[in-house]
Amino acid sequence: MSNLFDDLTKKISGKDKKIVFPEGLDERILTAASRLSADGLVTPILIGNKEEIEGKAKEVGANISSCEILNPNDYSEFDEMVQAFVERRKGKATEEDARKILLDENYFGTMLIYMGKADGLVSGAAHSTADTVRPALQIIKTNGRVKKTSGVFIMVRDEEKYVFADCAINISPDSQDLAEIAAESAVTAKLFGVDPRIAMLSFSTKGSAKSLETEKVENALQIAKENDPSLVIDGEFQFDAAFVPSVSAKKAPDSVIKGDANVFVFPSLEAGNIGYKIAQRLGGFEAVGPILQGLNKPVNDLSRGCNAEDVYNLALITAAQAVAE
């Protein structure tokens, strides 16, 4: 696990990326922000009332003297932000609406990214995933490669690293969605030093069963190959055929994947969520994420059960995504 973050630290060192933390009064956020600024890796931007944040930081023993603190209620460029938001929403919000909406710390923080005042955002310690993702989808929006964002976990055990997707966002992805998830997961894998070998998972291997579900995965594979012929990708696979060389030799002897896949694209959120939790709880893997992919700028979502170490690590990931843009 330490090697994973050592590599990320090297990527972001000296890049002076600014990461927004909308939950500026949360003890876990303050503790992580103190450590991040002390390590000189990123400049944390804390959102909220300055006196309240400084008081809470003193109470929990966090040194935030090197952090920026911005309050939507007295932000000097709030009028400019309001106009930028109205233009971005293209008639879906009036100026009056914008003045109310932008008092919400997640919307305010996301607009800081859009306006070039920050490089990424980490939220979710006290907010739902929807509260974090909705402003990003409305303001940052998806990049030109995909129509939807998706969420991956990096599964780490000693020197092993695997990418599991989508385990966080899309409940029932169609073939186009799965193809996009596969391609974006390859980009994320490279960020973490993984040379992507992608398996499109199902309950069937190479036509051993036929159903609408297996056809969806087959179609996704063809779309992904057409979109990017350089991808090392195949399917549909049962997990053992993608991961165990001896099983692969029997079930898919002609495949480019020889039981050596390291990026696993699940056919549904249900499967992905169950899969990563089994690997985490029974396999002893640490699950790093969810990491959101497919956005124009990095925005990432914490679990509400997170600790300060989780916040620190996700901030490093967010900064590394910003560097890789």
Side-chain angles (χ1 to χ4, degrees), residues 87-324:
E87 290 175 12
R88 186 60 166 169
R89 296 298 289 141
K90 296 179 179 178
K92 294 180 180 179
T94 65
E95 181 176 329
E96 183 180 359
D97 294 333
R99 291 188 178 278
K100 294 177 182 177
I101 292 169
L102 292 174
L103 294 178
D104 177 281
E105 53 265 34
N106 281 306
Y107 274 95
F108 179 82
T110 304
M111 278 301 295
L112 291 175
I113 303 172
Y114 178 67
M115 296 172 68
K117 310 292 185 182
D119 301 290
L121 179 145
V122 172
S123 188
H127 289 89
S128 70
T129 295
D131 289 336
T132 301
V133 175
R134 189 183 299 109
L137 293 177
Q138 292 179 359
I139 299 167
I140 302 300
K141 301 189 178 182
T142 55
N143 61 39
R145 300 188 300 269
V146 302
K147 293 180 180 179
K148 297 179 181 177
T149 189
S150 55
V152 306
F153 282 87
I154 310 300
M155 307 303 294
V156 183
R157 185 177 66 186
D158 298 327
E159 299 303 311
E160 296 177 86
K161 287 185 287 188
Y162 305 103
V163 178
F164 282 19
D166 174 357
C167 302
I169 302 294
N170 296 287
I171 295 173
S172 184
D174 62 21
S175 295
Q176 182 66 43
D177 297 333
L178 289 174
E180 292 178 355
I181 289 166
E184 288 300 299
S185 296
V187 174
T188 301
K190 292 175 184 176
L191 180 66
F192 289 90
V194 175
D195 186 16
R197 300 181 62 80
I198 307 164
M200 308 295 287
L201 297 179
S202 183
F203 59 83
S204 166
T205 297
K206 292 296 185 178
S208 62
K210 283 289 185 182
S211 72
L212 292 176
E213 289 80 7
T214 61
E215 289 174 7
K216 177 179 78 169
V217 178
E218 290 176 20
N219 292 337
L221 174 66
Q222 296 309 312
I223 294 169
K225 284 181 173 180
E226 290 170 9
N227 289 345
D228 186 355
S230 70
L231 289 175
V232 180
I233 184 172
D234 205 359
E236 85 280 15
F237 287 126
Q238 293 159 290
F239 184 83
D240 56 354
F243 190 69
V244 182
S246 61
V247 177
S248 175
K250 291 177 182 178
K251 292 187 174 183
D254 298 325
S255 175
V256 67
I257 300 295
K258 306 293 184 183
D260 55 357
N262 50 29
V263 176
F264 300 94
V265 178
F266 292 85
S268 68
L269 181 59
E270 183 177 46
N273 187 271
I274 291 169
Y276 100 78
K277 288 184 182 292
I278 288 174
Q280 181 185 35
R281 300 301 180 180
L282 292 183
F285 280 84
E286 291 194 56
V288 180
I291 301 162
L292 300 187
Q293 54 187 21
L295 292 167
N296 276 313
K297 297 288 183 180
V299 171
N300 282 310
D301 179 41
L302 292 159
S303 164
R304 277 173 281 183
C306 70
N307 57 35
E309 182 73 15
D310 296 328
V311 179
Y312 180 90
N313 288 341
L314 195 56
L316 297 186
I317 291 168
T318 306
Q321 288 177 299
V323 168

